[in-house]
């Protein structure tokens, strides 16, 4: 996006300099030609390229290329917190405001809401997806290193919105499995 914007800006600045410093070069150009070529013909290829890039990145972000996620976690939002549910040996265990994931594994996040529209977003791990009452939306997250990552609700949802944060803790696989064993149903 930055490269496309820089390309358009560079071209506009070049045309501006030509008009300012060499007006004889463009004195025969009619206003209609400026509008058609500068306002329609020039931006269309740039915008089509940016749109194509955005579609490819969006599909990649939401896991279209991932054949089968390694683990699926359900994230339920409610004013003013998050509940994460994991299946461990047929038992559903939960954590509140802390999402535990294994490092190096594709994790499918199924998100829904118990009350109003919220938005699940972990900026350092991926894009955001809306958490809507009565609807299940999914995305894929993968942490390549161990650590703690901040997550937020990115959709204004009322007075407590600013405090609706959560942490994502990426563990090595044995620590992740041990953490799930210590969570309560």
């Amino acid at each position: 996006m930055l490269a496309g914007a820089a390309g358009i800006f560079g071209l506009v600045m070049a045309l501006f300099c030509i008009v300012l410093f060499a007006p004889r070069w463009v004195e025969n150009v009619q206003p209609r030609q400026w509008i058609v070529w500068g306002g329609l013909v020039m931006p269309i290829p740039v915008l089509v390229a940016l749109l194509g890039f955005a579609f490819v990145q969006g599909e990649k972000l939401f896991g279209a290329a991932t054949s089968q996620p390694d683990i699926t976690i359900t994230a339920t939002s409610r004013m003013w917190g998050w509940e994460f549910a994991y299946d461990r040996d047929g038992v559903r265990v939960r954590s509140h405001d802390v999402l535990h994931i294994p490092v190096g594994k594709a994790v499918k996040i199924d998100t829904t809401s118990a009350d109003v529209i919220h938005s699940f977003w972990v900026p350092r791990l991926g894009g955001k997806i809306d958490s809507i009452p009565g609807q299940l939306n999914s995305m894929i997250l993968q942490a390549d290193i161990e650590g703690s990552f901040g997550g937020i609700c990115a959709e204004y949802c009322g007075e407590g919105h600013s405090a609706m944060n959560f942490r994502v803790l990426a563990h090595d696989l044995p620590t992740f499995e041990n953490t799930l064993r210590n969570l309560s149903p």
Side-chain angles (χ1 to χ4, degrees):
M1 294 271 186
L2 180 61
I8 291 174
F9 178 77
L11 187 55
V12 169
M13 287 294 106
L15 290 172
F16 177 70
C17 289
I18 289 170
V19 169
L20 196 60
F21 299 115
R24 287 182 289 128
W25 289 7
V26 293
E27 62 188 16
N28 293 331
V29 178
Q30 300 299 316
R32 182 179 184 94
Q33 291 172 311
W34 281 109
I35 292 170
V36 169
W37 287 97
L40 295 174
V41 174
M42 184 214 36
I44 287 175
V46 174
L47 293 174
V48 167
L50 290 175
L51 182 65
F53 178 76
F55 279 136
V56 168
Q57 289 301 313
E59 290 299 311
K60 182 178 170 187
L61 180 67
F62 289 109
T66 305
S67 59
Q68 188 71 334
D70 297 305
I71 185 171
T72 300
I73 300 170
T74 303
T76 304
S77 56
R78 63 178 41 88
M79 295 177 178
W80 314 109
W82 292 88
E83 178 183 271
F84 301 102
Y86 315 79
D87 285 324
R88 181 184 49 88
D89 301 327
V91 177
R92 198 137 172 105
V93 294
R94 293 172 168 68
S95 65
H96 296 278
D97 295 327
V98 178
L99 171 61
H100 300 279
I101 63 173
V103 172
K105 302 287 185 182
V107 179
K108 180 180 177 190
I109 305 295
D110 288 336
T111 184
T112 190
S113 175
D115 42 40
V116 299
I117 297 175
H118 299 279
S119 189
F120 179 91
W121 187 29
V122 185
R124 289 186 52 206
L125 296 181
K128 68 183 191 82
I129 193 164
D130 286 339
S131 183
I132 302 171
Q135 183 174 325
L136 197 64
N137 291 331
S138 301
M139 71 179 301
I140 302 291
L141 289 182
Q142 183 170 333
D144 295 325
I145 59 170
E146 288 184 54
S148 177
F149 305 93
I152 61 172
C153 173
E155 177 75 32
Y156 181 73
C157 51
E159 289 180 12
H161 167 73
S162 62
M164 196 170 166
N165 304 320
F166 60 93
R167 301 296 307 159
V168 178
L169 299 178
H171 310 282
D172 60 60
L173 194 55
T175 305
F176 173 72
E177 290 171 352
N178 189 43
T179 300
L180 291 188
R181 275 194 281 292
N182 293 326
L183 292 177
S184 57

